[in-house]
Every structure is written in structure tokens, then in C-alpha cells.
């Protein structure tokens, strides 16, 4: 852990926290049986990367959302919004 200090430690903590948050939400949505998809949502500001901006507003199955969330870049600030079944 000597290498993970300052910015690097903060970057790791931020990245893993949001990944855990997203995964917990997906598990909750699956358990609820009310949510069928998730929509990718960005901050829509100057700090949003091209990769995330291209995903903004797109919908994904919960399995796809889980895979995306696990593989997104470090310090991603985006979120998933649940889409409720009709």
C-alpha cells in the first residue's frame, strides 16, 4: 500500500465505492422484480469523458448494466437509473 497514497488512494476508493453502489442497486432492482432495465446517466458537464457521453441516456438490460459498471474507467461519476416495468 506504500504506492497508494494521496490522489491514487482517493482514485481507488472513489472508483470502488461507486462500483459497489451500482452493483448493490442492480441487485436490489433484480430482487424487486419491478425494474427491467437501467439507463446510463452522466453529469453532462465539461468533465464527462467521450466514452460516457456516448452512453448517456441509453438503456441496457440489468446484466448489461452490471458488466458496464464493472468495466468502466476509474473515477467515473456516472450513474444508472432504474427503468420500471410497464
Amino acid at each position: 500500500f506504500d504506492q497508494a497514497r494521496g490522489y491514487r488512494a482517493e482514485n481507488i476508493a472513489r472508483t470502488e465505492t461507486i462500483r459497489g453502489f451500482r452493483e448493490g442497486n442492480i441487485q436490489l432492482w433484480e430482487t424487486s422484480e419491478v425494474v427491467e432495465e437501467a439507463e446510463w446517466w452522466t453529469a453532462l458537464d465539461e468533465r464527462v469523458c467521450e466514452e460516457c457521453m456516448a452512453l448517456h441516456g441509453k438503456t441496457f438490460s440489468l446484466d448489461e448494466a452490471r458488466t458496464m459498471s464493472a468495466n468502466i474507467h476509474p473515477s467515473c461519476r456516472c450513474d444508472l437509473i432504474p427503468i420500471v416495468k410497464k
Side-chain angles (χ1 to χ4, degrees), residues 51-68:
E51 178 184 7
C52 290
M53 188 58 83
L55 296 172
H56 179 74
K58 293 189 178 180
T59 59
F60 303 93
S61 71
L62 296 182
D63 286 336
E64 290 171 324
R66 174 178 281 117
T67 300
M68 290 174 50

Side-chain angles (χ1 to χ4, degrees), residues 4-73:
R5 291 186 179 160
Y7 173 77
R8 181 164 164 70
E10 186 175 313
N11 190 24
I12 292 168
R14 185 177 293 150
T15 300
E16 295 308 318
T17 298
I18 192 65
R19 282 185 184 157
F21 177 77
R22 287 187 201 132
E23 176 61 28
N25 281 339
I26 292 169
Q27 287 182 19
L28 176 68
W29 299 337
E30 288 173 333
T31 303
S32 75
E33 298 180 5
V34 175
V35 177
E36 60 185 355
E37 294 179 307
E39 182 177 350
W40 192 261
W41 199 260
T42 70
L44 294 176
D45 63 13
E46 68 282 349
R47 293 175 45 204
V48 176
C49 71
E50 291 179 20
E51 178 184 7
C52 290
M53 188 58 83
L55 296 172
H56 179 74
K58 293 189 178 180
T59 59
F60 303 93
S61 71
L62 296 182
D63 286 336
E64 290 171 324
R66 174 178 281 117
T67 300
M68 290 174 50
S69 179
N71 295 314
I72 204 66
H73 62 83

